[in-house]
Amino acid sequence: MKLKTLVVIPILISSLFFGAANIDQAIDSGIAFLRNNQDPNGTWFYNDILVSHEIIESLVSAFGVECVNDMAVNFAEYVIKSVEPQTAFLSYDYLFKLDDLNLLSEYMSLNLAYKILGKPNLKFELKIDRLILKKESEILSMQDSEFMQVLRFLTIGKFVLTPKIAERALFMLEKEENVKRLECYYLLKYGYPVSEETINSIAEYMKSEVEKCKKEKGAISEGKLTQLALGAIILSLGESDNSITKEIIDFLLSKQNEDGSWGNSEEIVTTFMTTALVLEALGYFGD
């Protein structure tokens, strides 16, 4: 019995060590892929600020600014030069109409850029927060799809959610089908609690999804890789059953491309975004 114990313990330690080593290697390779493909001005995909924001935000959230400082600073400096919030967001009748969501996304990126550069602009942030409070009833009256889009911009931009906006978001998550519940990614990342029941439901859903993916032959679509990454992030942040999260992570590791990326689409922009989201999942799992 003692001999068996002595054999099992080194095997367990070895498995844990090499598992962590594999994750670290995959992260380094994935970050290198994104770094090598970042344009000199700090963006990805033809100066697209929103795409670039989501890439940088995933990396900074999971690893901190220090680990991706060169990419983050390049992006932040580009945003500061490109977005000029002099007048538009001062008009309370202008923002939060559906046609103006691109404008809100620019302010989201601007707020992140200020923080990356260590120069948070409290006046700018407070103006947006006051605007959200003033336009609360308009936001609450939006259709679900529009409301969730605004919610996404507010949470990623790290702007305030009023109690009523947060309450509606959480209520929607409770009644949505599992695949749509993955939207709670945005709430969890910024400290808004999601019920244990919702997390457990997502865990069961993700368990069935990863099993389906394992049975598929050939390449896995970027949509499914993204869904798996979102699920892993939610389960890590929600402190759910670690065995399901590990199963997802192991599958994602097995699908990394030789160049460090994840995905197989001819649209390189989706490969950039999928890679960043998978890296975020790996980062949270490794914490």
Side-chain angles (χ1 to χ4, degrees), residues 30-71:
I31 289 177
F33 167 79
L34 291 176
R35 179 177 284 115
N36 292 337
N37 283 279
Q38 188 180 29
D39 292 336
N41 67 7
T43 66
W44 286 264
F45 194 65
Y46 306 110
N47 305 335
D48 190 315
I49 288 180
L50 181 55
V51 167
S52 304
H53 176 111
E54 297 208 8
I55 292 170
I56 286 295
E57 202 280 331
S58 284
L59 297 178
V60 169
S61 293
F63 308 109
V65 174
E66 296 78 10
C67 291
V68 292
N69 186 67
D70 56 332
M71 289 190 286

Side-chain angles (χ1 to χ4, degrees), residues 22-35:
N22 287 340
I23 290 177
D24 289 342
Q25 185 178 10
I27 289 172
D28 290 343
S29 182
I31 289 177
F33 167 79
L34 291 176
R35 179 177 284 115

